[in-house]
């Protein structure tokens, strides 16, 4: 079960209204009536209990039968926001039993800044046994609280007696002091949704923008309400969204975050008008966001700290070189000899003392130290805040809500920044993990000065390969593969080798994937902090033979065994990790006594805008067959209307595995 942190903006400038203030505004909020479907919550129907599969999506391992989210406002001594959640779902396959384990992330903090409390958590499992419905209640010992960090906790609960055929129900309420922030509502999930309801009741003094996005349709209606408090009434508005028969949206290898494309409603507070009070504008700028970060001790405070690794910096040798990129490389490598990334990303740090003591930290912890070292070396270094691609795109409006990490930008000159992050293990300066390459990241030069950068415009990857092959009359092929890799291609190679069980396993897996026998494998620059790497190996392979013919596949070492785009249509876009260029040249020496009887034709295919191109050429010269395969991916996002072109191009690449050169024994 995945979960999200609550937005960091909830930890800043939280509005908490006193009881006296509430009296002055003469306003209250009541719990809105949740619109129920025909079936009552707490009483699954026979149809639900006996459901074997979901007809519109027979592959679904579970289906949401009913879901409601009801948001409203109340007060005791101050205003609170309440969110009531009710969910009923059906387990259809064994994999669906994962939904027996649920989790709720919430903020538990001091009363001075606000917190959230979970109340009324209940869960039940309904099973048919011997023709009768058996209801099993979740006991309190199946609920556990875990600390994530200083602000976030996660309440995990497990629903008992869940198996294929079970209907699950659970409900709970969250009482939140963070009244100006409302979580997005998602009409879709990674399983189908039969019915989902979102009800939002707002006193008229709260001014919200609503933004609905996604590919599916919802029914939206608005009605005027009277917000009833015990001390008086005030007008308000209730917004209701209903979604029916929502298809599942799942991550795949070509979507970083499916949540970006779910049908959803986002709510943003832009103003608060209390009778008798001055209008408060909540519309912020990115400069305001930088101000908030700068005021926070675990961000702006850490940027002001002095370098805790002065001795390490002095021994790095950075003072002996003038090239900025080389200086950054030397300082980064020196730091990483002493500090290790713990595998986690963060926006806030916990201080150099803790990190130095433990020798490890998240990327933010290490990046704060790296920035201090770079500044100590006389370089201009800045945080570049972002949302990781796997966590979803930044919201269009300026907000801390979407920020979840930052990398380091270093001024190479007046117009160019270099980029590095402390999570980099196999890359280099300007060679980042794809997850840290969003199209929108914000450089914070100062709280009042910043700039947007598109990190997908970094160097990407280039791979140039030369395959040289000799064939004898018995169909035995002997050859060499030499691949020069730049950028993420070099990083990916190092990463694959590093995480393999051992070098023998790595080579055996590569040989099996390519359908060859490999000898004398080596990687040049495998441990170098460099944008380059070189892969070299010898190989043997057998081609088909007959009495007087040889049949040779000109690819020799396949570029792609199967297409990742097999579906005829696609609703979601296709996201590539980075821009790339792959070029593979193949030279096959024709054995003596043979001539070319047949060879494949060339292929040239491209999308309408030319951003994706595949070119295959073939020729013959000086007793050799010459083939060239070139794939260019010049953008990272292809929308659904481009999918047909993309699918056919990748089909054409795979079809080259079936091409055949026919060599015939020459007449004597």
């Amino acid at each position: 079960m995945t979960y999200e942190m609550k937005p960091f903006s909830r930890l800043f400038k939280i509005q908490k209204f006193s009881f006296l203030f509430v009296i002055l505004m003469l306003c209250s909020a009541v719990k809105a009536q949740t619109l129920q479907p025909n079936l009552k919550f707490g009483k699954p129907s026979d149809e639900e209990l006996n459901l074997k599969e979901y007809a519109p999506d027979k592959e679904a391992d579970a289906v949401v039968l009913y879901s409601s989210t009801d948001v409203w406002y109340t007060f005791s001594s101050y205003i609170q926001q309440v969110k009531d959640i009710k969910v009923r779902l059906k387990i259809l396959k064994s994999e669906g039993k994962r939904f027996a384990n649920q989790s709720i992330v919430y903020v538990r903090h001091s009363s001075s800044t606000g917190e959230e409390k979970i109340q009324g958590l209940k869960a039940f499992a309904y099973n048919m046994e011997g023709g009768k419905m058996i209801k099993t209640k979740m006991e309190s010992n199946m609920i556990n609280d875990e600390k994530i960090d200083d602000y976030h906790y996660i309440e995990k609960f497990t629903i008992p007696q869940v198996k294929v055929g079970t209907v699950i129900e659970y409900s709970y309420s969250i009482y939140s002091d963070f009244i100006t922030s409302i979580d997005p509502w998602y009409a879709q999930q990674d399983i189908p949704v039969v019915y989902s309801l979102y009800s939002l009741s707002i006193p008229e003094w709260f001014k919200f923008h609503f933004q609905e996005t996604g590919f599916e349709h919802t029914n939206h209606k608005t009605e005027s309400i009277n917000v009833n408090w015990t001390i008086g009434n005030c007008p308000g508005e209730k917004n209701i969204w209903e979604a029916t028969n929502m298809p599942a949206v799942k991550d795949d290898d070509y979507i970083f975050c499916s949540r970006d494309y779910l049908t959803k409603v986002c709510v943003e507070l832009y103003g608060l008008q209390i009778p008798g009070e001055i209008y408060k504008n909540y519309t912020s700028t990115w400069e305001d966001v930088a101000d908030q970060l700068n005021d926070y001790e675990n961000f702006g405070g850490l940027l002001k700290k002095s370098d805790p690794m002065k001795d390490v910096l002095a021994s790095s040798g950075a003072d002996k070189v003038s090239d900025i990129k080389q200086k950054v490389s030397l300082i980064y490598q020196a730091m990483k000899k002493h500090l290790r990334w713990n595998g986690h990303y963060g926006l806030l740090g916990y201080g150099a003392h803790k990190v130095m003591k433990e020798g490890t930290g998240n990327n933010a912890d290490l990046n704060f130290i790296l920035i201090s070292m770079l500044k100590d070396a006389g370089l201009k270094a800045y945080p570049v805040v972002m949302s990781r691609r796997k966590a979803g795109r930044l919201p269009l409006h300026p907000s801390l809500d979407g920020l979840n990490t930052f990398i380091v930008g270093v001024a190479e000159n007046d117009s160019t920044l270099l980029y590095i992050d402390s999570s980099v293990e196999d890359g280099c300066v300007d060679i980042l993990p794809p997850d840290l390459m969003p199209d929108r990241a914000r450089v914070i030069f100062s709280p009042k000065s910043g700039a947007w950068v598109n990190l997908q415009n970094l160097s990407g990857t280039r791979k140039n390969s030369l395959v040289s092959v000799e064939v004898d009359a018995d169909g035995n092929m002997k050859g060499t593969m030499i691949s020069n890799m730049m950028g993420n291609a070099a990083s990916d190679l190092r990463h694959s080798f590093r995480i393999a069980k051992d070098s023998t396993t790595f080579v055996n897996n590569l040989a099996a994937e390519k359908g060859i026998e490999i000898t004398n494998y080596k990687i040049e620059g495998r441990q170098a902090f460099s944008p380059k790497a070189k892969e070299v190996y010898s190989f043997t392979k057998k081609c088909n033979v007959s009495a007087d013919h040889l049949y040779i596949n000109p690819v020799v070492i396949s570029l792609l065994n199967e297409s990742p785009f097999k579906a005829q249509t696609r609703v979601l876009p296709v996201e590539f990790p980075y821009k790339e260029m792959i070029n593979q040249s193949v030279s096959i020496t024709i054995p003596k006594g043979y001539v070319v009887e047949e060879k494949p034709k060339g292929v040239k295919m491209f999308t309408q805008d030319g951003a994706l191109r595949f070119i295959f050429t073939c020729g013959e010269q000086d007793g050799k067959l010459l083939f060239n395969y070139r794939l260019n991916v010049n953008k990272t996002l292809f929308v659904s209307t481009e999918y047909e072109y993309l699918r056919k191009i990748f089909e054409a690449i795979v079809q080259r595995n079936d091409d055949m050169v026919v060599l015939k024994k020459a007449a004597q």
Side-chain angles (χ1 to χ4, degrees):
M1 181 74 181
T2 59
Y3 56 84
E4 298 178 67
M5 298 291 194
K6 293 292 183 181
F8 275 110
S9 62
R10 296 190 178 187
L11 307 180
F12 302 86
K13 301 180 180 179
I14 297 162
Q15 300 296 315
K16 200 169 184 179
F17 296 87
S18 67
F19 182 75
L20 177 60
F21 199 54
V22 173
I23 294 177
L24 290 174
M25 59 187 276
L26 293 177
C27 175
S28 65
V30 295
K31 183 175 180 178
Q33 295 294 321
T34 301
L35 297 179
Q36 299 282 359
N38 292 331
L39 303 175
K40 293 183 178 179
F41 190 79
K43 203 170 185 180
S45 67
D46 291 341
E47 182 182 9
E48 290 175 317
L49 290 165
N50 294 311
L51 184 68
K52 301 300 182 184
E53 66 178 22
Y54 183 59
D57 185 355
K58 295 183 178 181
E59 298 301 316
D61 58 15
V63 58
V64 175
L65 301 169
Y66 170 80
S67 173
S68 74
T69 301
D70 185 8
V71 179
W72 49 287
Y73 288 88
T74 186
F75 82 92
S76 52
S77 58
Y78 54 88
I79 293 180
Q80 285 186 303
Q81 180 192 113
V82 184
K83 181 164 65 174
D84 295 323
I85 302 292
K86 294 181 179 180
V87 176
R88 178 192 299 123
L89 60 86
K90 173 78 175 188
I91 308 301
L92 298 172
K93 298 183 179 181
S94 181
E95 295 84 354
K97 291 188 290 185
R98 59 195 167 101
F99 290 100
N101 298 305
Q102 298 287 333
S103 58
I104 311 165
V105 175
Y106 66 101
V107 176
R108 184 196 295 178
H109 203 50
S110 66
S111 58
S112 61
T113 54
E115 62 182 359
E116 295 174 315
K117 291 183 179 179
I118 300 170
Q119 296 187 10
L121 175 59
K122 298 177 182 179
F124 301 91
Y126 301 87
N127 290 289
M128 292 297 291
E129 296 181 10
K132 294 182 179 181
M133 184 185 74
I134 305 299
K135 180 179 179 181
T136 306
K137 180 182 178 181
M138 177 183 69
E139 301 297 338
S140 59
N141 61 2
M142 298 176 179
I143 305 172
N144 295 288
D145 246 17
E146 295 181 9
K147 181 179 180 180
I148 300 175
D149 56 33
D150 288 347
Y151 309 100
H152 297 94
Y153 282 73
I154 180 170
E155 187 158 294
K156 296 182 177 181
F157 60 97
T158 300
I159 304 166
Q161 298 299 315
V162 172
K163 51 193 173 184
V164 175
T166 301
V167 171
I168 289 173
E169 282 192 339
Y170 59 87
S171 61
Y172 59 89
S173 298
I174 298 178
Y175 283 74
S176 174
D177 297 334
F178 309 108
I179 65 171
T180 62
S181 180
I182 298 178
D183 293 332
W185 171 72
Y186 294 93
Q188 290 179 281
Q189 299 186 26
D190 63 348
I191 57 175
V193 177
V194 175
Y195 179 87
S196 187
L197 172 72
Y198 181 39
S199 174
L200 178 58
S201 298
I202 307 170
E204 69 173 1
W205 288 275
F206 290 80
K207 311 297 181 182
F208 285 100
H209 286 307
F210 304 111
Q211 182 183 33
E212 184 174 358
T213 59
F215 297 104
E216 301 297 326
H217 173 72
T218 65
N219 294 315
H220 177 214
K221 64 180 181 180
T222 304
E223 59 187 49
S224 297
I225 60 173
N226 196 33
V227 181
N228 302 313
W229 294 75
T230 57
I231 57 173
N233 301 325
C234 74
E237 181 180 86
K238 180 190 249 186
N239 282 269
I240 299 169
W241 287 266
E242 286 183 294
T244 58
N245 302 318
M246 293 284 111
V249 177
K250 297 182 180 181
D251 285 320
D252 59 36
D253 292 339
Y254 288 87
I255 285 290
F256 274 86
C257 181
S258 62
R259 198 166 57 251
D260 285 335
Y261 307 105
L262 297 177
T263 296
K264 60 183 178 291
V265 175
C266 296
V267 183
E268 176 199 3
L269 181 74
Y270 67 88
L272 189 61
Q273 180 65 71
I274 307 299
E277 297 292 327
I278 297 175
Y279 175 79
K280 183 171 179 57
N281 182 15
Y282 280 85
T283 300
S284 61
T285 66
W286 284 105
E287 287 73 22
D288 296 329
V289 172
D291 260 338
Q292 288 178 299
L293 283 171
N294 191 61
D295 289 343
Y296 200 61
E297 182 60 32
N298 284 30
F299 191 92
L302 295 179
L303 289 173
K304 299 179 181 72
K305 298 290 185 181
S306 61
D307 178 10
M309 301 185 74
K310 292 183 180 294
D311 293 343
V312 174
L313 175 62
S315 64
S316 69
D319 59 329
K320 298 180 175 61
V321 299
S322 58
D323 181 77
I324 301 298
K325 182 177 284 190
Q326 191 175 356
K327 276 182 179 288
V328 175
S329 297
L330 289 171
I331 294 170
Y332 179 83
Q333 293 177 84
M335 182 194 74
K336 289 300 288 281
K337 287 180 181 178
H338 298 269
L339 299 177
R340 178 176 55 84
W341 177 51
N342 64 12
H344 299 290
Y345 293 100
L347 179 65
L348 306 178
Y350 293 95
H353 178 74
K354 180 176 184 294
V355 177
M356 297 290 291
K357 180 180 178 181
E358 297 178 358
T360 186
N362 65 32
N363 74 318
D365 291 322
L366 273 59
N367 283 344
F368 284 120
I369 293 174
L370 177 60
I371 287 176
S372 67
M373 294 177 71
L374 292 166
K375 288 180 176 179
D376 206 22
L379 301 177
K380 297 178 180 178
Y382 313 98
V384 184
V385 296
M386 65 176 67
S387 174
R388 294 185 297 113
R389 292 170 79 183
K390 291 181 180 178
R393 288 183 171 83
L394 281 177
L396 295 178
H397 59 274
S399 170
L400 278 165
D401 287 2
L403 298 176
N404 47 60
T405 194
F406 73 94
I407 64 172
V408 179
V410 186
E412 186 176 29
N413 50 50
D414 291 340
S415 60
T416 305
L417 289 178
L418 304 171
Y419 301 98
I420 188 65
D421 184 75
S422 296
S423 66
V424 169
E425 302 286 347
D426 305 294
C428 185
V429 176
D430 281 349
I431 312 299
L432 300 171
D435 196 23
L436 298 180
M437 295 170 62
D439 57 0
R440 291 178 72 231
R442 182 78 175 177
V443 184
I444 300 179
F445 296 116
S446 72
K448 294 301 180 184
S449 175
W452 290 106
V453 291
N454 183 351
L455 294 173
Q456 293 177 12
N457 287 331
L458 291 178
S459 58
T461 183
R462 296 191 299 277
K463 180 178 180 180
N464 284 293
S465 301
L466 176 62
V467 182
S468 300
V469 180
E470 292 187 354
V471 187
D472 65 23
D474 295 324
N476 298 308
M477 304 172 67
K478 293 183 179 181
T480 58
M481 161 69 94
I482 301 173
S483 293
N484 289 291
M485 304 182 190
M486 287 286 294
N488 287 93
S491 176
D492 291 346
L493 177 64
R494 293 190 189 103
H495 177 75
S496 296
F497 193 90
R498 178 170 60 83
I499 66 173
K501 179 181 178 181
D502 51 47
S503 59
T504 300
T505 301
F506 177 84
V507 173
N508 288 342
N509 289 341
L510 177 63
E513 177 189 349
K514 302 299 183 182
I516 56 178
E517 295 291 331
I518 294 178
T519 57
N520 302 319
Y521 182 90
K522 65 178 180 179
I523 299 175
E524 297 178 10
R526 180 171 63 84
Q527 296 180 319
F529 191 73
S530 165
K532 301 178 181 179
K534 187 176 183 179
E535 182 182 52
V536 181
Y537 57 84
S538 302
F539 66 89
T540 59
K541 188 176 182 178
K542 185 78 174 179
C543 68
N544 293 327
V545 299
S546 66
D548 54 359
H549 286 84
L550 297 176
Y551 304 91
I552 304 172
N553 173 235
V555 178
V556 182
I557 297 177
S558 65
L559 289 140
L560 189 66
N561 289 329
E562 63 178 7
S563 173
F565 309 113
K566 295 179 180 179
Q568 294 297 307
T569 60
R570 184 180 174 99
V571 174
L572 299 183
V574 171
E575 295 179 347
F576 287 92
Y578 37 68
K579 299 175 183 178
E580 62 181 327
M581 187 279 288
I582 299 173
N583 185 76
Q584 182 165 305
S585 298
V586 179
S587 173
I588 302 175
T589 301
I590 301 172
K592 290 182 179 180
Y594 280 82
V595 296
V596 177
E597 182 177 79
E598 183 181 333
K599 61 184 178 183
K601 296 179 180 180
V603 175
K604 185 176 183 179
M605 301 181 70
F606 48 87
T607 53
Q608 288 180 310
D609 63 355
L612 179 67
R613 291 175 176 267
F614 173 64
I615 300 173
F616 166 59
T617 61
C618 49
E620 182 181 351
Q621 184 179 354
D622 299 330
K624 294 182 179 181
L625 290 165
L626 304 175
F627 303 95
N628 183 260
Y629 304 81
R630 178 182 287 267
L631 175 66
N632 288 86
V633 183
N634 290 322
K635 67 180 184 181
T636 56
L637 180 69
F638 291 82
V639 297
S640 58
T641 54
E642 299 174 291
Y643 178 72
E644 178 66 11
Y645 293 95
L646 184 148
R647 182 179 66 83
K648 289 182 177 179
I649 288 173
F650 274 82
E651 282 182 354
I653 297 172
V654 174
Q655 286 169 0
R656 303 287 67 80
N657 296 328
D658 297 325
D659 284 341
M660 200 61 62
V661 174
V662 181
L663 302 181
K664 182 179 180 181
K665 189 177 294 185
Q668 299 297 327

